[in-house]
Amino acid sequence: MKSKSLISISDFSKEEILQLLDRAKEFEKEPIQRILENYVIATLFFEPSTRTRLSFESAVSRLGGKIISFTDSMTSSVQKGESLKDTIKTVCSYSDLIVMRHPREGSARFASEVASVPVINAGDGANQHPTQCLLDLYSIFKTQKRLDDLNIMMVGDLKYGRTVHSLVIAMCHFNTTFHLVSPTELKLPGSVKVHIKDKNLKYYQYTDIVEAIPKADIIYMTRIQKERFSDPIEYEKVKNSYILTAEMLYTIKPDMKVLHPLPRINEISEDVDELPQAYYFNQAINGIYVRQALLANILGV
Ligand code: CP
C-alpha cells in the first residue's frame, strides 16, 4: 500500500481493507508510537470539518509527525485566484502526504494526478469519503464481531451522502443485505447501486423508517445535507424526513448498534444517546486508530 493515494474506497481491495483494519487494532492497543517523526502531513480543508480534520491531526500528533494546514481556503492564496493544481503542486514541496477535503466531486482524484506525494480524499462533494468508510467498517466489526452476512439499514440522504456511497461499495465485499430508507428524492444513485447488483446482493428500498428496524444489525443514520441542495425549497421539503427516537427501538436485534458519521442535526433524538445501542460517539473515536493505520501504511512505516 506504500505511496498509494486513497481517493475512492474502490482503490483498496478487500484484502487491503482487512489488513488496514487489523493494523488499526494495533494502534487502538498502543496509540502513541513515534513513527512519523520525520514526516510532514498537510491537511487542506476547503469545506468545514470537525471529526475528519481533527482526528487526522490527532493521529499525526500521536505518531510524532508535524502538521501544516489551512482550514479555510479564504486564508490561502486560493482566495487570490490560485488554481487547485498550483496549490497542490506547491503544498507537495512542503509535505510528504496531503489530506484534502473539497466541495467538488472529482477534485481529490485531480489532486492525486498532479501531486508528487500521496493524497488522501477526506471527502469530495457528494462523491466519496473513503476514510470515514474505513472507520465505519472498523466500528461495524468491533460491534458485530464480523463484517460478513449483516443487514445494514441506511437512512436519510442516500443520494448526496458520500459516506453512504463509500460504505455501500465496501460492504459489497461482505455479502451484505441493504435496507435503504430515504425520501424518493434522495434515493441511492444508480452509479452506487450497480455495485450491489454486480454482486447479486439483496437490497430493499423504503420511505418509512420503522419497517426495517427489527431486521437491522446496524442502523446507519445520516444528515439531510442542506449544503448539497441548489434549491432551498427542495431542502425544506425533506429536511425533517426521519428522526430516530428511543421509542422506535423497541423491537431490535440483541447486538444492533446505531451509527452516524456525524454531525447530526435532529435525525437522532437525544433520548437515543443514553441507550446501549448508540455507538456514534465511539465511532468517531475509532477514526483516530484507522487514520493512524492508513497514514502508516501509505507512508510505508
Ligand atoms: N464524519 C465527518 O466527515 O465529519 P466532519 O464533517 O466533522 O469531518
Side-chain angles (χ1 to χ4, degrees), residues 47-286:
E47 228 189 30
S49 167
T50 297
R51 280 146 289 272
T52 310
R53 184 175 66 80
L54 294 181
S55 65
F56 260 116
E57 294 188 357
S58 177
V60 172
S61 300
R62 287 165 198 233
L63 298 178
K66 307 283 180 299
I67 297 149
I68 57 171
S69 67
F70 60 74
T71 56
D72 176 359
S73 59
M74 303 297 272
T75 63
S76 77
S77 286
V78 171
Q79 177 61 11
K80 300 176 199 159
E82 186 170 49
S83 67
L84 181 60
K85 181 178 179 182
D86 288 358
T87 303
I88 294 296
K89 282 170 91 76
T90 305
V91 175
C92 283
S93 54
Y94 302 153
S95 64
D96 301 292
L97 182 149
I98 294 173
V99 178
M100 187 182 89
R101 171 172 289 184
H102 197 283
R104 214 168 49 232
E105 288 97 51
S107 53
R109 180 73 65 201
F110 173 77
S112 73
E113 284 165 4
V114 298
S116 56
V117 301
V119 174
I120 297 178
N121 179 8
D124 62 329
N127 183 31
Q128 286 249 346
H129 194 344
T131 69
Q132 177 70 42
C133 174
L134 292 168
L135 79 91
D136 293 341
L137 293 172
Y138 189 72
S139 302
I140 293 169
F141 186 81
K142 265 179 84 173
T143 60
Q144 305 299 315
K145 312 285 177 267
R146 68 188 206 277
L147 289 171
D148 290 300
D149 307 320
L150 294 171
N151 278 267
I152 307 281
M153 177 177 164
M154 298 176 135
V155 184
D157 181 357
L158 310 188
K159 181 178 179 183
Y160 300 118
R162 58 193 175 197
T163 68
V164 169
H165 302 165
S166 297
L167 187 58
V168 167
I169 293 169
M171 286 306 295
C172 284
H173 290 304
F174 302 104
N175 194 36
T176 303
T177 299
F178 296 94
H179 301 271
L180 306 172
V181 185
S182 73
T184 312
E185 300 89 327
L186 297 178
K187 278 186 176 172
L188 192 71
S191 58
V192 181
K193 220 179 274 171
V194 74
H195 292 264
I196 304 177
K197 291 179 180 169
D198 278 354
K199 291 265 172 97
N200 282 323
L201 299 177
K202 293 197 193 91
Y203 72 96
Y204 304 93
Q205 298 187 93
Y206 314 76
T207 50
D208 189 283
I209 188 172
V210 292
E211 202 180 328
I213 289 175
K215 300 171 194 151
D217 297 296
I218 294 289
I219 301 179
Y220 191 87
M221 295 297 297
T222 65
R223 173 174 68 95
I224 309 281
Q225 304 170 93
K226 188 177 185 182
E227 66 272 26
R228 304 281 174 235
F229 287 79
S230 48
D231 182 351
I233 297 168
E234 291 304 310
Y235 170 70
E236 287 301 317
K237 275 194 226 164
V238 292
K239 69 176 186 187
N240 293 321
S241 297
Y242 304 111
I243 299 175
L244 185 72
T245 63
E247 202 179 37
M248 290 175 181
L249 300 176
Y250 58 86
T251 309
I252 53 169
K253 290 190 176 178
D255 295 327
M256 191 280 285
K257 292 285 180 271
V258 179
L259 271 60
H260 191 313
L262 303 177
R264 81 170 146 188
I265 306 301
N266 63 351
E267 58 279 1
I268 302 179
S269 162
E270 285 190 15
D271 64 5
V272 177
D273 295 359
E274 308 311 319
L275 302 180
Q277 287 77 28
Y279 192 76
Y280 24 96
F281 292 112
N282 306 64
Q283 185 185 351
I285 297 168
N286 291 335

